[in-house]
Amino acid sequence: MLQQLFSPSVQHTLDLVGIFVFAISGALLAVRKNFDVFGIAVLAEVTALGGGLFRDLIIGAVPPAAFTDLGYFLTPLLAALLVFFLHPHVERIQVGVNVFDAAGLGLFCVAGTTKAYEYGLGLTQSATLGLATAVGGGVLRDVLANEVPSLLRWDRDLYAVPAIVGATMVVLCIRYDALTPFTSGLAALTAFVLRLLAMRFHWRAPRAWNRRSTVRDE
């Protein structure tokens, strides 16, 4: 078995924090789309748990943690309730929410990659599921809200790339038998910092070389 980055109790707390922040982003989008309270709750749950559910179903970790730990299910509902009543105030601290979202991205890409490898997947497949754990909920959120997923849009700051870097660092450490709490934390921190820098300097992925498309930019 691979070493855990933190003790089980601390890891569980960090998972709940990441779930809560991801749920906030889903609930805020629902408010902007003028969804009702049920829609707000659904987007909060999907955003927070979608990536982890997808990973657990792929690796055969069933029933998924979201259905065995009541805290995982209730935390997004708490976030949805908070946004339902206080969304103007939450909007004003959007920068802070984005910082925590970046932290969740870093933690989830590392945790997802590690868990996938522990269940017998290869290094490349584990990194792929680490990425899916980190960004899958956001993709489902955007699809349900009838939007092009953010990580596919050229006009959005890099989101998937920091998660890819973090997941790749983890599998390289596994490959060279160097995965420790320190190196796992370093991978999560790298993804976190890259995401913050992307938001700060508006780093974006390049579009097709020598692009001649007549499609209007959106």
Side-chain angles (χ1 to χ4, degrees):
M1 295 289 288
L2 299 174
Q3 289 179 282
Q4 285 189 313
L5 177 55
F6 302 108
S7 67
S9 60
V10 174
Q11 183 64 54
H12 185 259
T13 301
L14 291 173
D15 284 346
L16 292 181
V17 171
I19 286 171
F20 181 80
V21 175
F22 283 165
I24 288 285
S25 71
L28 283 175
L29 179 59
V31 170
R32 295 183 191 121
K33 289 285 187 175
N34 203 31
F35 288 3
D36 63 14
V37 63
F38 181 74
I40 294 172
V42 167
L43 274 200
E45 290 281 357
V46 166
T47 308
L49 304 177
L53 281 172
F54 176 78
R55 176 204 61 214
D56 288 350
L57 291 174
I58 290 295
I59 65 179
V62 292
F67 291 96
T68 58
D69 188 321
L70 190 60
Y72 282 24
F73 181 77
L74 293 181
T75 298
L77 293 182
L78 176 61
L81 188 65
L82 178 69
V83 170
F84 181 79
F85 287 106
L86 301 175
H87 61 88
H89 304 288
V90 176
E91 289 277 13
R92 285 199 289 269
I93 60 170
Q94 185 65 53
V95 173
V97 172
N98 287 341
V99 170
F100 282 105
D101 182 84
L105 182 80
L107 288 171
F108 281 16
C109 74
V110 171
T113 303
T114 303
K115 186 171 183 178
Y117 185 78
E118 287 180 332
Y119 273 78
L121 269 66
L123 296 177
T124 301
Q125 295 86 346
S126 296
T128 301
L129 275 189
L131 169 64
T133 303
V135 306
V139 172
L140 292 174
R141 172 202 65 206
D142 292 343
V143 169
L144 288 178
N146 198 30
E147 291 198 349
V148 176
S150 295
L151 81 165
L152 300 181
R153 295 184 55 168
W154 73 271
D155 58 342
R156 299 296 174 88
D157 302 332
L158 293 179
Y159 193 79
V161 171
I164 292 172
V165 172
T168 300
M169 290 178 65
V170 172
V171 296
L172 286 175
C173 288
I174 294 173
R175 171 65 178 80
Y176 295 104
D177 197 26
L179 189 67
T180 66
F182 174 77
T183 55
S184 297
L186 182 61
L189 180 62
T190 299
F192 170 62
V193 171
L194 283 176
R195 172 58 180 160
L196 290 183
L197 290 174
M199 290 189 294
R200 173 64 179 82
F201 297 106
H202 302 296
W203 291 346
R204 294 166 183 171
R207 288 188 283 178
W209 181 78
N210 202 24
R211 180 173 174 268
R212 291 287 190 271
S213 174
T214 59
V215 176
R216 181 176 61 87
D217 290 337
E218 297 182 354

